[in-house]
Structure formats: structure tokens, C-alpha cells
Amino acid sequence: MKKILLLIAAVTTMISCNKAGENEYIVTGTINGIADGKSVTLEVQDETGGLKPVDTVKIEKGKFTFKGNAKEPEMYLVSVETVEGKVPFILENGDIEMKINKDSLSITKVTGTYNNEELNSYKEKGLAIQKKMMKFQKDNTAKMNQAQQTKDTVVMNSLRKEYSKFQEEFVKQSDAYVASHPKAFISILIIEGMFNQMTPDIAKIKKYYDGLDKEVKDTKHGKKVKKQLDEISKPVAAAAKVDVGTVAPDFTANNPEGNAVSLKQSMGKVTVIDFWASWCNPCRAENPNMVALYSEFHAKGLNIISISLDDDAAKWKAAIAKDKLTWTQISNLKEMEDPIAIAYGVKLIPSTFILDASGKVVAKDLRGDALKAKIAELL
């Protein structure tokens, strides 16, 4: 009888060691072909868009384990020493398992919790569209190259139109997912990403946000979307509207060194007024294009003045340094309540105003190639 009780106790102990508590996560990973003692790091994106390590463990007998508490679901990454790439997954309380293929991290499956199972399903559907897109590229690359050489715009436009259908498929997949998964954490990430489009469909974003469960709305990302929607819904005074054809109002704010700088001081033959923030992912993604633009055209008369809608000076300055922004930077550190943003009617970022030498607005909200083409035209 004593032996039976000891056996039951041992089994119970084994089960409890592999079972997460009510407010606990246990991430268990297996990876073959990597020597014991190698490090596995758990990472999360910080406010500046960079990655910061949260926990590091060692591989033992081809396995590793992370334990802790998650206040709410969040997208995290796992990186393995000597292995290229990272494994994205949703860290949330519960038992999470991942089987990592060291030769192809992209095929890693993360299972065990609702949101990670949903992430797998969503990714698989997206992968099916991606495979069709890659096949189209492979089948038509030679045709497109030939059309570009002969300047056959009919063929080029036809191929681009066909290719754009894949993007439409991605959008339809995301829309259908959000509409049918109000409890999924991925839904709020998709909705948040809708703000990154050139012309966000605010009515659609609001509709999908309103349909989410309260638990999802109460996450950090849910609150961020709510804040953006609230800011957009605020009425803008008619006097604050700055349109193409109007003269850009002058403004003054401090640079990172604490010195006051005005638009008037920063004007060039062509001037770009750039509204951004360290916490704005699409802004940070656009910064390399701005750096290249400034490098190419500054000597010819281009000036840029960037207004940051940050509220934390340290994060603002860190982002400037990290993204290597060498032109004029100013901020009132009042986030979306910045008086310059209010004066220009800016409710979404990134937002740009392109001025000619007289200070008149000649274009708005251009990015990437479109912005470069406009600057080249003006200079």
C-alpha cells in the first residue's frame, strides 16, 4: 500500500511540474541538433520598435523551458543561439509547446493555448496565398523583365493588376478573420495594423473594434486602438485645416538639445514637414526611406523638419539616434495633443506636408517612391 501511495505521489508531482498554474505560463520547447548549453532567449518589442530580452535559459537534453506570469497576451519571439531567425508566438498564461526545426524556424508550430492555435490557423491560410503569389512571380518574372525593357506598359499594368489580387486576398482573409473571431488576440493586432494603410478605412476599423470582446479591448493593443479612434473622432477646427495650396503656418518647438527651432529657420528650396513618433511602427518603417531621401537631395536644396508626437524625451532621442535621423528634430512632448499637430489637423501618423520655396503646401501624405518622385520633380 505504501508503494502505491508513493507511486501516486510521484505521478502527481510529474503532472504538476508540466502543468501551468491559473496565472502562469510554461513554455516548453524541443529542438534537435543543437548542443546542450546553448542559450535560448525570450524577447519582446519595446516602445522604440527594437527587441529587448526578457528571459534566457539553456538547452538541456534538447529541451528548454520558460516560466512566468503574463498579465495579458502579447506577441513575443524566441531566438536560439547559433540559429538564424526567430520564432514568433503569443505569450499568455497556460501550457505552451513549440517544436523547433533548427534548419527552418518558419515551420515551427506553437500549440497548447487558444491564441497560439489561432495564430497557427491564421498563418496557414496566409501561407496558402503567399505560395500562389510566389508561383505567379516565378511564372511571370521573365515576362515582366521583357515588358520593362520594351516599355510595354500594357503588359506591365496587366501583370501588376493580377499581382494586386493577391494583396486583396490577404485583406479579405484578415477582414473575415476579425469579423468571425472577436475573442482572438490576433484580431486586435490585425485591426491595429489597419491604421498603417496609406488611407485607413476608419469606419471599418471602428466596426471591427466595436465587435471585439471586452477582454480583447482591455489589452494594451486594444486601448491603443481605442485611443486612436477617439483622437480621430475629435472635431478639427476649420482654421486648423492645412491643405494643398495654402501657406504652411509657422511654428516653433525645442530640439533634443533644448533649443527653440522654427519652421521659418528650417526652410529649404523644398521642405518636408514630417510628423512621426518613436512608438509609431509605420513611422519607424518609413524612416530609412527618409534617410535615403535626405542623403540624396539635401545638397540640392531639400530640408526636412520632423515633429515628434512623443511624450517621453528619452525614447524620442533614442529613436533619433537608432534611426540615424540627421535633420532638424523638434517636439513639444505632448503626443497627440501637440499644438503643431493640432494646428495642421494631424490625427494619424506618419503624416507629411511638402512645401515649395515660398512655404506653400504642394503635396501631402506622400511616402516612399511617391515622395521621392515629388521631391525630384520640385528640385
Side-chain angles (χ1 to χ4, degrees), residues 29 54 79 113 119 121 153 193 212 231 238 353-354 367:
V54 175
S79 61
T113 60
L119 181 60
S121 175
T153 56
L212 294 176
E231 290 290 344
F353 295 78
I354 297 88
R367 300 189 213 171

Side-chain angles (χ1 to χ4, degrees), residues 225-299:
V225 169
K226 176 68 163 57
K227 184 177 181 180
Q228 286 177 288
L229 288 171
D230 288 345
E231 290 290 344
I232 291 167
S233 67
K234 288 182 181 178
V236 179
K241 196 169 181 61
V242 179
D243 276 330
V244 172
T246 62
V247 175
D250 196 14
F251 52 77
T252 301
N254 287 347
N255 64 14
E257 291 73 39
N259 300 317
V261 180
S262 69
L263 170 63
K264 189 176 180 179
Q265 291 173 268
S266 309
M267 293 282 290
K269 290 181 182 178
V270 176
T271 307
V272 176
I273 301 174
D274 170 43
F275 290 89
W276 74 296
S278 67
W279 47 262
C280 168
N281 290 335
C283 302
R284 303 295 295 278
E286 182 64 15
N287 276 343
N289 293 328
M290 296 293 282
V291 170
L293 187 78
Y294 189 72
S295 175
E296 182 175 352
F297 291 105
H298 177 56

Side-chain angles (χ1 to χ4, degrees), residues 91-130:
L91 186 68
E92 59 186 340
N93 290 327
D95 291 287
I96 300 171
E97 295 184 5
M98 54 178 69
K99 294 181 179 178
I100 298 178
N101 183 324
K102 70 178 179 66
D103 298 317
S104 181
L105 295 188
S106 62
I107 65 173
T108 298
K109 279 201 171 183
V110 184
T111 58
T113 60
Y114 170 72
N115 281 309
N116 281 297
E117 298 286 358
E118 285 299 319
L119 181 60
N120 286 334
S121 175
Y122 181 77
K123 284 167 62 178
E124 284 174 6
K125 290 177 181 177
L127 188 59
I129 300 171
Q130 188 178 359

Side-chain angles (χ1 to χ4, degrees), residues 352-369:
T352 55
F353 295 78
I354 297 88
L355 316 183
D356 64 13
S358 69
K360 185 172 69 176
V361 179
V362 293
K364 289 171 59 175
D365 295 328
L366 299 181
R367 300 189 213 171
D369 291 340

Side-chain angles (χ1 to χ4, degrees), residues 296-320:
E296 182 175 352
F297 291 105
H298 177 56
K300 298 176 183 179
L302 171 68
N303 275 357
I304 303 175
I305 180 166
S306 289
I307 300 99
S308 168
L309 304 189
D310 275 282
D311 62 0
D312 186 311
K315 291 175 183 176
W316 171 42
K317 293 174 185 178
I320 291 171

